[in-house]
Amino acid sequence: MTAILHDIGNAPRERAIIIAVVRKGADPDVVSEHLDELELLLDTAGADVALRMYQERDRPDGATCIGKGKLEELRGLIDDENVQMVVFDDELSPVQVRNLEKELNVKILDRTGVILDIFASHAKSLESRTQVELAQLEYLMPRLTRMWTHLSKQYGGVGTKGPGETQIETDRRMFRTRIQRLKEKLAQINVQRSVQRKGRENITRCALVGYTNAGKSSLMRALTNADVLVEDRLFATLDTTVRALDLPSGKRVLLSDTVGFIRKLPPQLVASFRTTLAEAIESDIIIHVVDAAAGHSADHIMVVNETLKNIGITHHPTILVFNKIDCITDPYTLMDLQASYPDAVFTSALTGFNLDALTDAVQRVADTLSVTRTVCIPYSDAAYIAKLYRDSEVLSRTDDENGTTLQVKLTPEMLATFNQRYSQYLCDPVICTTQPTP
């Protein structure tokens, strides 16, 4: 699928004006922070921001989003600043885009279009490319009218009789066909992913989630020595990576790195990336990573929590981690965060500071997800001992004339299989209640 902006590596950077339309009385600091983020998105996509502006309105104009006066002001600024596009912080309707392009005679984009373009540039695997293409097609489908105005009329005359399809109807049909094929491909990928996850269901799974560029991949590399992409840019990670993490007790858990979230995340992307986000949905523990040095961290936390809620993650045990504390220059900022979030862990993936505290926190939560059972295995069934060492965490072992007594820790998912296989060997922690078979 062709990206909406120019290819970053092959074209000169475009110049843009960014604009937000907000309700009257909106907090200027919040508006500025939103425009800062949009400017960073454009920088990641390969464009420079020449000017930024916002307009307060009771509601966006249905035809052009902004008022006539602001439209005239924009027209003059476009000529003065030599810009090639105007980017709005909120999603525009197809009608608004068409009218704005007609009035301003430059490319019109919204935040959703920019995010989709970044995803298209960063997608590397077959899965992520399929997900991004599906999201782009669903975004572009209702906008075909403005893209094909030069082909939208029917021609008559000899040799042109037929079903009467206009070009736009033909393309819509092609889009629908392609969208259906992509959904089928993602369904097949989801089945493959499910089979892979089924093989790991007896192991505690932790998912790193958080706002984009919070340092999730850096944290994963620091904890597991994983060879994952670490870059200081938005949406560097689109594909889920899973690595093993050894806890202080010796227990091994699986740690997965997921795509970052952002405010006003396009619903097409959330829907398309459900296959990737399944690692988080089916995890046992959520590790919510926050950029401690970024402003408005409370807003970032709220955005992530809302996104998690939208994909069905509501009751998972969660560890809140403030990363990048090495980037905090004001000590009072750190003190305020520690006072506001006393249960959080404060780390630096770059320097390795306090990573032990994070693994200890994962250990504590993992322990609450486990149940302890004691079994007495007769020597005649010693093969079960090796299975227990492989499938569970052995806390203690005692060998006597009756056999081997093991105290093991199990995840809730393992409990049903354990009870079925070892019910005849169950005993209390001290006295064996079921005598081994002679």
Side-chain angles (χ1 to χ4, degrees):
M1 186 69 196
T2 304
I4 298 170
L5 294 180
H6 290 305
D7 181 69
I8 296 174
N10 299 326
R13 293 173 69 89
E14 297 175 277
R15 288 170 57 81
I17 295 176
I18 59 176
I19 183 169
V21 178
V22 299
R23 289 187 177 274
K24 290 184 178 180
D27 186 345
D29 290 337
V30 173
V31 177
S32 178
E33 201 262 337
H34 286 201
L35 289 176
D36 287 342
E37 186 172 86
L38 181 58
E39 185 169 348
L40 185 56
L41 284 168
L42 280 167
D43 178 65
T44 304
D48 295 319
V49 173
L51 286 172
R52 45 194 290 168
M53 57 200 302
Y54 73 93
Q55 182 181 37
E56 293 184 349
R57 293 179 61 90
D58 291 329
R59 64 176 62 86
D61 185 87
T64 58
C65 191
I66 53 178
K68 292 182 179 179
K70 187 63 68 174
L71 197 61
E72 287 296 325
E73 181 183 353
L74 259 180
R75 188 180 290 113
L77 290 172
I78 287 170
D79 293 334
D80 294 341
E81 298 295 332
N82 188 31
V83 302
Q84 292 78 45
M85 61 181 167
V86 175
V87 184
F88 285 73
D89 190 46
D90 287 289
E91 187 166 335
L92 299 171
S93 70
V95 171
Q96 289 170 333
V97 173
R98 184 172 66 249
N99 291 338
L100 285 165
E101 286 187 340
K102 183 178 178 181
E103 291 287 341
L104 301 175
N105 199 30
V106 293
K107 185 190 305 179
I108 304 296
L109 290 177
D110 54 21
R111 174 186 276 251
T112 298
V114 176
I115 293 175
L116 287 170
D117 183 76
I118 295 171
F119 270 61
S121 299
H122 293 184
K124 297 293 185 271
S125 71
L126 173 63
E127 180 180 7
S128 61
R129 290 200 306 268
T130 303
Q131 290 166 327
V132 170
E133 184 179 354
L134 176 59
Q136 283 187 314
L137 288 174
E138 291 181 333
Y139 172 75
L140 291 173
M141 180 110 169
R143 292 161 173 80
L144 284 174
T145 302
R146 72 180 179 89
M147 298 171 64
W148 294 105
T149 53
H150 63 296
L151 296 172
S152 61
K153 63 181 179 179
Q154 293 176 262
Y155 293 90
V158 177
T160 61
K161 305 294 193 296
E165 280 191 318
T166 61
Q167 181 65 43
I168 188 172
E169 289 168 345
T170 303
D171 291 326
R172 281 175 177 159
R173 179 163 48 81
M174 292 172 59
F175 267 48
R176 284 192 291 267
T177 301
R178 182 62 178 163
I179 286 172
Q180 183 59 36
R181 288 178 180 172
L182 290 172
K183 287 181 176 180
E184 291 171 357
K185 184 185 293 186
L186 281 179
Q188 293 173 356
I189 294 174
N190 191 33
V191 170
Q192 296 169 359
R193 288 274 192 178
S194 298
V195 171
Q196 294 171 358
R197 289 193 296 270
K198 187 172 291 186
R200 306 192 297 256
E201 60 186 5
N202 289 339
I203 306 177
T204 301
R205 290 176 287 176
C206 308
L208 291 165
V209 303
Y211 211 77
T212 182
N213 208 32
K216 299 181 293 299
S217 297
S218 298
L219 201 57
M220 185 174 195
R221 173 177 283 187
L223 289 170
T224 67
N225 295 317
D227 184 19
V228 294
L229 177 66
V230 175
E231 291 187 350
D232 185 18
R233 65 176 186 176
L234 303 182
F235 303 117
T237 300
L238 294 186
D239 297 295
T240 300
T241 304
V242 181
R243 293 292 185 271
L245 170 64
D246 293 321
L247 299 181
S249 68
K251 179 178 180 178
R252 175 164 288 189
V253 299
L254 292 179
L255 189 64
S256 61
D257 186 14
T258 61
V259 61
F261 301 143
I262 197 169
R263 66 171 60 87
K264 305 174 187 176
L265 190 65
Q268 299 95 335
L269 277 177
V270 176
S272 298
F273 274 74
R274 288 193 73 86
T275 304
T276 299
L277 295 172
E279 288 288 351
I281 296 171
E282 298 182 13
S283 65
D284 302 298
I285 301 171
I286 297 294
I287 302 176
H288 182 168
V289 185
V290 184
D291 184 351
H296 306 281
S297 58
D299 187 30
H300 290 184
I301 292 172
M302 181 184 69
V303 170
V304 172
N305 287 338
E306 283 297 316
T307 307
L308 291 175
K309 182 180 178 182
N310 290 338
I311 64 176
I313 299 178
T314 54
H315 302 297
H316 290 54
T318 301
I319 301 170
L320 188 63
V321 181
F322 282 88
N323 190 33
K324 300 186 181 182
I325 63 170
D326 56 292
C327 298
I328 297 178
T329 56
D330 181 4
Y332 291 104
T333 300
L334 181 58
M335 293 171 60
D336 289 342
L337 287 173
Q338 290 172 330
S340 301
Y341 303 94
D343 297 327
V345 181
F346 293 82
T347 67
S348 168
L350 182 64
T351 66
F353 174 78
N354 222 24
L355 294 182
D356 289 343
L358 176 54
T359 56
D360 288 342
V362 175
Q363 178 77 65
R364 287 193 299 272
V365 177
D367 287 344
T368 66
L369 301 176
S370 305
V371 292
T372 302
R373 291 289 185 269
T374 304
V375 291
C376 185
I377 307 293
Y379 294 117
S380 59
D381 293 337
Y384 283 118
I385 297 174
K387 290 182 181 293
L388 283 170
Y389 271 97
R390 185 181 67 243
D391 298 336
S392 64
E393 180 182 354
V394 177
L395 301 177
S396 65
R397 171 174 177 161
T398 303
D399 295 293
D400 55 29
E401 66 276 7
N402 292 321
T404 300
T405 301
L406 298 172
Q407 187 181 33
V408 297
K409 185 182 291 184
L410 308 162
T411 64
E413 293 80 9
M414 299 167 59
L415 195 55
T417 301
F418 176 87
N419 289 337
Q420 182 180 9
R421 180 177 294 172
Y422 300 100
S423 59
Q424 61 178 315
Y425 306 125
L426 282 172
C427 57
D428 67 29
V430 179
I431 301 173
C432 186
T433 57
T434 302
Q435 292 299 321
T437 304

